[in-house]
């Protein structure tokens, strides 16, 4: 038989990331591809005690169904953490999600009709495009500079009559570039949203992993009209395998996202929500985050020190204040995907994410995202040095 | 501001189940509403040992990201269990889901354009309607008798020219009626799917909870053309708070569902998948299911014995061979929702799910779903006896 799929499946295709996952399974290859946190930093011992205690208690509490919007206590705890970061909100504005990825999917379903326009940074997070594509949007790609999304370019497009339904941004330590949106640009963006009536999705899974420089206020904290939906995640500050993130939005939008959550998967894992709630109660997560930050700062310095001293001329890179990634620009005409498959994999046993896949409209071949979060220093040095040698031969 | 939501949100409304959840939180009320398993039957001690062991091991294995399609070993284990039930399949035909609810959502998104027709039993599982509604389908409601969905009525509609894109059925211990689809009807249904080119969603979360009578082969086991997508769940045989279910379909359909899964929430919880995989390896889950079945059979008998001896004339009910529910029919003109709110809650402190909400098109008021799975015998007897007294006064 030939299955007749729904029209929305036209935008749902296997991504280039797939091939990378294959390389990730090969222990002889050093992958700077996945945005994986360092698993040695997961608080496994603390979680072991917590899961042990929860599973010794009544099954009703840890293993039964619970609220589709999330465990009430965890919603309160997140609301308190958000308030400490300048986002004043109540429990009914917080929705617990299966990672912030689920928030991107639900928000698109809440807002996007086929053909509606979504503005994003170019480049942008591939997972967001994958989620949005199921709603058949168009994209308006806004370029970035060292201050992040170029809001004056966006304003020009809006003045010319382009109408967007929502804008998606990763303002803190952007994926894939590592760039942070400046305060002035944030203010401008909020003003544009109010003037041109669009919703902002503020996706900030890396926000708490800032290891240098001062915090910039969230877009959500500047939002006076309920136009910003903020997404946070425990993936980078606790562990991604728990699959827990959250959204903060107006109570009205949160209620509607909650209905979509119920339809999509009933609820998140009761056990995992109870465990994270107990972790937040028992431990000072900010102390844990301090440890993570020190490690990632050192890893970044390790990677960039090889890049600075060993990479040939003609390559530039970002030096982020937080997060997991650096973004490299190679000379025009240098295809990072082709070079990776033809040379880096066989000759240097190193992989990364070729940049083309991050561009929502016009793809550019001469960029690459390198994650410094996953490996220890020795592997970072070995992999990047081998790559430097190879680049010297070919550039 | 006024948010402009997507058109699909017109079908996404708060359900009648919401009000029930409020009652569920009141400890003075006995709820026969939720389809909750008995939490005293969760294998908490075994899971405690397993989570303890997993979290003592490398974080890489239990807390890191893994495959979006699910942990490979768990997919293999499920494929083996499916084969033992007559569904011969490979690992690449199994997709791990955030409960089978997620499968309903993803399958609708895979197949349904706005306006496409979905055939369902009338009544049917409310959660399925909630998931499907986000894709803006039409519904073709097929009545049931004691052998389940009336396939001759479906055939008549198809002969008259009605065209359906998919048919949704709960063939084993149907939700809400508890009825099992007969073998002859299953064969007829497969023949109709082949002849009239539609897909069948076989949702069978209760299948393994059969406590009397012989197993009837699954629709999937009779499927020679890759037309059936089967959904199973660990919610009723282990614990719903783990949020793990699965689908079995053709490799092609499974791959596409996997792409939608990646877009929707990246993956299920690594830790919970690893735990269930270890449970299946260490313990004989079929022994555990035997224990569950004995308990549910006794609970059913407890509930129905009160109903048989104490309920007034004019009420009929199903006597299921498995699952969690009995479905009651009250005299024409008796509104089970109104009676519950006006009398049962204040006077007998008992709630159930009024039947109207389970009908996809024309709602009928004189039905009710009672779950016997949640409470112990004493509470079942107390609640049902109080209800019987009240019904005697009003009928």
């Amino acid at each position: 038989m030939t299955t007749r799929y729904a029209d929305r499946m036209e935008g749902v295709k296997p991504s280039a990331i797939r091939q990378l996952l294959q390389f990730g399974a090969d222990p002889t290859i050093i992958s700077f591809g996945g945005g994986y946190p360092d698993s040695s930093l997961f608080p496994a011992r603390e979680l072991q005690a917590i899961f042990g205690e929860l599973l010794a208690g009544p099954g009703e509490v840890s293993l039964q169904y619970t609220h589709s919007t999330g465990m009430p206590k965890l919603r309160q705890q997140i609301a308190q953490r958000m308030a400490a970061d300048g986002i004043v909100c109540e429990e009914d504005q917080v929705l617990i999600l299966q990672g912030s990825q689920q928030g991107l999917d639900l928000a698109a379903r809440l807002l996007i009709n086929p053909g509606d326009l979504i503005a994003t940074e170019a480049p942008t997070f591939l997972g967001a495009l994958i989620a949005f594509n199921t709603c058949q949007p168009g994209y308006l790609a806004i370029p970035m500079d060292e201050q992040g999304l170029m809001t004056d370019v966006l304003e020009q497009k809006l003045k010319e009559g382009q109408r967007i339904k929502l804008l998606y941004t990763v303002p803190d330590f952007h994926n894939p570039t590592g760039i942070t949106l400046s305060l002035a640009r944030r203010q401008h963006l909020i003003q544009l949203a109010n003037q041109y009536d669009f919703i902002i999705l503020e996706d900030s899974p890396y926000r708490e992993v800032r290891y240098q420089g001062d915090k910039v206020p969230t877009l959500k904290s500047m939002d006076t009209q309920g136009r910003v939906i903020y997404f946070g995640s425990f993936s980078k500050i606790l562990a991604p395998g728990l699959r827990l993130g959250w959204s903060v939005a107006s109570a009205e939008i949160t209620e509607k996202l909650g209905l979509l959550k119920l339809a999509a998967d009933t609820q998140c894992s009761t056990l995992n929500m109870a465990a994270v709630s107990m972790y937040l109660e028992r431990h000072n997560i900010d102390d844990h985050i301090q440890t993570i930050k020190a490690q990632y700062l050192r890893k970044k310095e390790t990677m960039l020190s090889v890049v600075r001293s060993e990479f040939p001329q003609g390559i530039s890179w970002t030096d982020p204040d937080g997060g997991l990634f650096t973004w490299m620009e190679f000379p025009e005409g240098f295809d990072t995907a082709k070079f990776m498959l033809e040379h880096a994999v066989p000759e240097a046993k190193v992989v990364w994410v070729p940049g083309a896949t991050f561009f929502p409209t016009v793809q550019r071949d001469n960029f690459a995202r390198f994650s410094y979060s996953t490996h220890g220093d020795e592997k970072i040095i070995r992999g990047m040095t081998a790559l430097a040698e190879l680049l010297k031969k070919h550039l």
Side-chain angles (χ1 to χ4, degrees), chain A residues 66-355:
Chain A
T66 183
H67 301 269
S68 62
T69 46
M71 185 168 284
K73 184 169 179 188
L74 182 59
R75 295 173 82 190
Q76 287 162 18
Q77 289 167 310
I78 290 170
Q80 280 163 15
R81 283 189 64 76
M82 289 286 91
D85 192 20
I87 299 176
V88 179
C89 61
E90 302 293 326
E91 177 192 329
D92 67 351
Q93 293 177 260
V94 176
L95 179 67
I96 311 294
L97 297 164
Q98 181 79 353
S100 47
Q101 180 71 27
Q102 184 173 49
L104 305 181
D105 177 56
L106 300 184
R109 293 164 84 182
L110 179 70
L111 295 164
I112 298 299
N113 284 322
D116 281 349
L117 214 52
I118 301 177
T120 75
E121 286 125 350
T124 188
F125 171 45
L126 179 60
L129 298 178
I130 287 174
F132 300 158
N133 284 347
T134 65
C135 293
Q136 303 164 274
Y139 291 105
L140 180 64
I142 309 296
M144 304 177 73
D145 62 16
E146 70 287 348
Q147 290 188 61
L149 181 137
M150 295 173 73
T151 51
D152 54 339
V153 176
L154 173 63
E155 182 167 24
Q156 190 55 40
K157 302 273 187 194
L158 294 166
K159 276 189 176 156
E160 287 165 15
Q162 295 261 35
R163 283 297 162 265
I164 62 173
K165 190 68 177 284
L166 63 82
L167 179 135
Y168 170 75
T169 178
V170 183
D172 291 292
F173 328 122
H174 174 260
N175 186 352
T177 68
I179 293 169
T180 294
L181 188 65
S182 70
L183 178 59
R185 295 268 178 92
R186 289 178 195 226
Q187 289 162 336
H188 191 199
L189 199 50
I190 291 288
Q191 178 231 308
L192 292 174
N194 291 342
Q195 186 177 349
Y196 291 97
D197 188 22
F198 58 86
I199 300 270
I200 296 173
L201 304 187
E202 180 177 23
D203 187 12
S204 222
Y206 316 108
R207 179 169 174 81
E208 295 176 87
V209 191
R210 170 184 282 279
Y211 30 76
Q212 58 199 32
D214 292 331
K215 268 206 303 200
V216 187
T218 60
L219 291 159
K220 183 68 193 158
S221 70
M222 304 175 189
D223 172 28
T224 56
Q225 301 191 0
R227 293 193 174 280
V228 178
I229 308 179
Y230 179 93
F231 297 105
S233 174
F234 289 109
S235 291
K236 276 72 192 180
I237 56 174
L238 281 177
L242 299 170
R243 304 305 306 132
L244 287 173
W246 67 88
S247 60
V248 183
S250 70
E252 179 189 308
I253 285 178
T254 303
E255 197 205 347
K256 292 200 181 283
L257 288 174
L259 293 174
L260 287 169
K261 166 79 182 163
L262 178 68
D265 65 2
T266 315
Q267 57 159 93
C268 290
S269 163
T270 311
L271 182 60
N272 295 7
M273 287 192 284
V276 169
S277 174
M278 193 178 273
Y279 182 92
L280 293 174
E281 194 174 59
R282 296 274 174 88
H283 301 279
N284 187 335
I285 192 173
D286 293 314
D287 287 350
H288 175 62
I289 293 170
Q290 282 302 121
T291 311
I292 291 173
K293 289 198 279 197
Q295 296 291 321
Y296 287 162
L297 174 59
R298 202 201 61 247
K299 286 162 183 275
K300 181 193 77 165
E301 290 302 337
T302 302
M303 180 176 278
L304 291 188
S305 70
V306 179
V307 170
R308 279 187 204 106
S309 64
E310 303 298 329
F311 270 35
Q313 291 283 316
I315 303 167
S316 62
W317 55 88
T318 58
D319 183 353
D321 291 331
L324 316 181
F325 313 113
T326 178
W327 179 246
M328 297 203 191
E329 181 172 357
F330 294 79
E332 203 70 49
F334 184 90
D335 182 335
T336 60
K338 193 160 174 279
F339 180 76
M340 185 175 97
L341 292 174
E342 290 181 2
H343 296 288
V345 169
E347 297 163 43
K349 298 272 181 188
V350 167
V351 296
W352 55 83
V353 186

